[in-house]
Amino acid sequence: MKTIYLYNSASHKKEEFVPHEPGRVSMYTCGPTVYHFAHIGNLRSYIMEDALEKLLRYAGYDVKRVMNITDVGHLASDADTGEDKMLKGAKREHKSVLEIAKFYTDAFFSDCKKLNIKYPDVVQPATGMIDEYIKVISALMDKGYAYFAGGNVYFDTSKLEKYYVFNDHDEEDLAVGVREGVEEDANKRNKNDFVLWFTKSKFEDQALKWDSPWGVGYPGWHIECSCISMKYLGEHLDIHCGGIDNAFPHHTNEIAQSEAYLGHPWCKYWMHVHHLNTNHGKMSKSSGEFLTVSLLEEKGYDPLVYRFFCLQSHYRKGLVFSWENLDNARAAYDKLIARVAALGTDGEVDQAAVQAYKDRFVEAVGNDLNTSLGVTALYDVLKADLNDATKRAVLDSFDQVLGLDLLKKADALKEQQAAPVEGAEEIEALIAKRLEAKKAKDWGTADAIRDQLKSMGVEIKDTKDGTTWARA
């Protein structure tokens, strides 16, 4: 196993990664709440978590990654207030909650596949674990960490020596009306307490309910991740991943209830991916302004261009999305594929060189998942004094982590370039005619030719070196 260093959000420092069990990694990823399409800001987190999992495997670890699917219990506010997001989605589309859950779960994993995000080893919908939630909540009540009030079961944060794990908050920062999303709940003994189980006393129109010792109801959002993780990964978790907005209160509450239940430290390392921002701030569904993978495709972008865009930045820094930035990433990705396509296949692979480059790659990217150095390493290989067969082998090796389909795309480009293109002369003639129209500032004719080419299944791209075209 190669040494990996990872920034731990809980300790606020970069640490050498040492799993609880040598050679084996237990990894938990907070999955989507499947009430709507995932937006590309959400998917940035999953891309970076995927890169981490693949890096760990590349470095020689045996990784087991578990993901939940939130199909019940996630309320509109993270502070346990508002309408259930699943019910909100069902009302919006006039479908049942289960129909909504299945549709958007399938859509999420379809997006993940397009982005080369590996399917987790275990995927567990929250609705399939009701007995486990009841067992853990009952134990927390027996231990004195939970109480029943006003029809709900709450976790009592006053029983903890330390509640704020990721940040030391000022108590007043969480006062009602100060922190966004916090509303008064008279049933709580302490304002930081959170719901483990809701009963029929609240949200009477909740679609999914189950019998429990506390009445008919449903679990809170936070309890599901703790129970799913413990069921499949045991009492000791190595890495817990999620977006930075999950750190508080979701991950903070997970730690509270898990360690109260287990009686010992639970998760060693916490990885939080920062936001994708637009000119208007964080991309979010609540604002109604968000982009999906399908929309990127409709606009002619390969989803892997977006993955490349994300890999060029560091996961602990906010990433600014704009169409100009994405266009720059597309141009760089296309040039990279063209350079790989220009490589030959002759010669023998120098295995010693491949191993040396692999070692350097792990050292670079393994320094807190520095994927931008991983991308730089691709260009270093292309410029290196190696034969083409060895270069292809090294690039293919790095792609086990980066997931950019370099050889696959390059070989497809080669085939496309070698194959005779039907109607090429007509296409070239139309492009030349369009160029003449543009020079004459006859924009109407130029646009009409562009639309004609599009109707023929031809996509054109204007560059400083001229106009290129390809079959759509």
Side-chain angles (χ1 to χ4, degrees):
M1 263 73 64
K2 303 294 182 184
T3 302
I4 301 291
Y5 293 89
L6 192 63
Y7 181 85
N8 187 352
S9 298
S11 66
H12 303 287
K13 62 184 179 181
K14 196 185 301 181
E15 301 175 10
E16 180 180 346
F17 175 69
V18 181
H20 186 263
E21 185 179 346
R24 295 180 179 273
V25 179
S26 57
M27 184 174 178
Y28 187 87
T29 300
C30 274
T33 301
V34 285
Y35 74 108
H36 213 316
F37 292 109
H39 63 68
I40 61 173
N42 299 142
L43 291 164
R44 181 197 184 195
S45 292
Y46 295 111
I47 288 170
M48 303 314 292
E49 293 159 5
D50 175 69
L52 176 60
E53 178 190 357
K54 288 172 176 172
L55 175 66
L56 290 165
R57 293 180 186 275
Y58 191 75
Y61 291 97
D62 179 12
V63 182
K64 182 177 182 180
R65 183 164 70 98
V66 175
M67 178 188 286
N68 69 302
I69 297 292
T70 299
D71 53 0
V72 69
H74 190 175
L75 305 189
S77 163
D78 291 348
D80 296 325
T81 58
E83 189 174 29
D84 186 308
K85 289 186 176 182
M86 294 304 302
L87 186 59
K88 181 179 178 181
K91 288 179 177 178
R92 180 186 68 239
E93 301 184 22
H94 307 290
K95 296 178 181 177
S96 72
V97 168
L98 293 179
E99 287 172 335
I100 287 289
K102 183 179 188 319
F103 179 84
Y104 286 113
T105 298
D106 291 346
F108 171 75
F109 284 115
S110 174
D111 287 344
C112 287
K113 188 174 182 180
K114 292 172 183 176
L115 291 163
N116 272 350
I117 296 170
K118 178 184 172 291
Y119 193 84
D121 299 293
V122 176
V123 174
Q124 176 62 62
T127 48
M129 294 275 292
I130 302 302
D131 289 345
E132 284 84 353
Y133 308 146
I134 292 172
K135 171 189 168 185
V136 171
I137 295 169
S138 297
L140 288 172
M141 294 190 78
D142 292 342
K143 289 171 179 275
Y145 283 102
Y147 59 92
F148 184 79
N152 300 323
V153 181
Y154 295 87
F155 185 91
D156 189 344
T157 57
S158 69
K159 298 298 177 70
L160 304 173
E161 289 185 16
K162 183 176 182 180
Y163 173 59
Y164 305 115
V165 176
F166 303 109
N167 295 98
D168 290 324
H169 297 278
D170 186 317
E171 282 290 306
E172 293 305 310
D173 288 344
L174 293 170
V176 173
V178 174
R179 182 178 174 274
E180 183 182 356
V182 177
E183 298 176 18
E184 186 172 8
D185 183 343
N187 296 323
K188 293 182 178 182
R189 294 177 182 172
N190 315 285
K191 60 177 170 284
N192 300 323
D193 293 353
F194 54 93
V195 180
L196 297 168
W197 186 270
F198 292 102
T199 75
K200 61 185 178 181
S201 66
K202 195 173 187 180
F203 309 123
E204 291 291 347
D205 58 353
Q206 178 67 22
L208 300 178
K209 296 180 182 180
W210 296 267
D211 287 327
S212 81
W214 317 286
V216 176
Y218 59 99
W221 174 36
H222 313 297
I223 194 66
E224 69 180 71
C225 287
S226 291
C227 292
I228 291 170
S229 174
M230 287 188 283
K231 177 177 180 178
Y232 293 105
L233 298 171
E235 293 189 0
H236 296 278
L237 177 62
D238 291 316
I239 304 176
H240 197 308
C241 304
I244 188 65
D245 50 337
N246 288 147
F248 185 85
H250 185 46
H251 291 164
T252 303
N253 292 348
E254 278 188 65
I255 293 171
Q257 64 201 9
S258 298
E259 296 190 354
Y261 173 74
L262 294 170
H264 60 69
W266 173 49
C267 180
K268 292 186 74 172
Y269 304 92
W270 290 83
M271 179 225 192
H272 290 113
V273 182
H274 284 238
H275 295 308
L276 181 74
N277 298 314
T278 68
N279 294 332
H280 306 292
K282 183 186 77 168
M283 187 175 290
S284 67
K285 293 176 190 172
S286 60
S287 69
E289 294 182 359
F290 65 95
L291 301 172
T292 63
V293 170
S294 296
L295 182 60
L296 295 185
E297 289 181 305
E298 286 175 18
K299 289 183 174 291
Y301 294 93
D302 183 333
L304 291 186
V305 166
Y306 179 65
R307 183 179 177 104
F308 184 71
F309 172 67
C310 291
L311 294 178
Q312 289 178 303
S313 68
H314 196 274
Y315 76 93
R316 283 197 294 116
K317 293 182 179 179
L319 178 59
V320 177
F321 175 87
S322 70
W323 293 111
E324 181 182 2
N325 290 344
L326 192 61
D327 284 339
N328 290 338
R330 176 164 63 179
Y333 181 69
D334 289 347
K335 285 181 181 178
L336 176 61
I337 296 301
R339 288 183 66 179
V340 177
L343 296 175
T345 56
D346 296 336
E348 292 189 10
V349 174
D350 184 342
Q351 295 296 346
V354 173
Q355 187 59 53
Y357 273 91
K358 286 178 67 173
D359 291 344
R360 275 183 271 175
F361 182 83
V362 172
E363 184 178 355
V365 183
N367 185 7
D368 194 23
L369 193 63
N370 198 332
T371 53
S372 63
L373 287 182
V375 172
T376 300
L378 299 174
Y379 296 98
D380 292 340
V381 171
L382 288 167
K383 292 184 291 186
D385 185 19
L386 300 168
N387 66 40
D388 284 1
T390 303
K391 287 181 179 181
R392 282 176 59 91
V394 175
L395 294 171
D396 197 35
S397 176
F398 291 177
D399 217 18
Q400 292 176 38
V401 176
L402 300 177
L404 296 171
D405 279 358
L406 297 175
L407 295 192
K408 180 181 176 181
K409 298 279 188 182
D411 291 343
L413 180 59
K414 274 185 180 178
E415 288 183 18
Q416 181 184 357
Q417 291 171 337
V421 180
E422 185 179 349
E425 290 184 7
E426 180 187 0
I427 293 167
E428 294 287 357
L430 285 169
I431 288 173
K433 187 176 177 182
R434 177 173 175 268
L435 179 59
E436 290 176 7
K438 288 178 71 178
K439 285 179 179 178
K441 296 186 178 181
D442 183 357
W443 308 118
T445 299
D447 289 346
I449 294 172
R450 180 199 60 207
D451 294 341
Q452 181 183 351
L453 287 165
K454 191 171 185 178
S455 70
M456 295 165 61
V458 176
E459 293 286 348
I460 60 173
K461 189 187 302 182
D462 293 319
T463 71
K464 62 181 180 180
D465 300 318
T467 300
T468 60
W469 65 274
R471 295 287 187 185

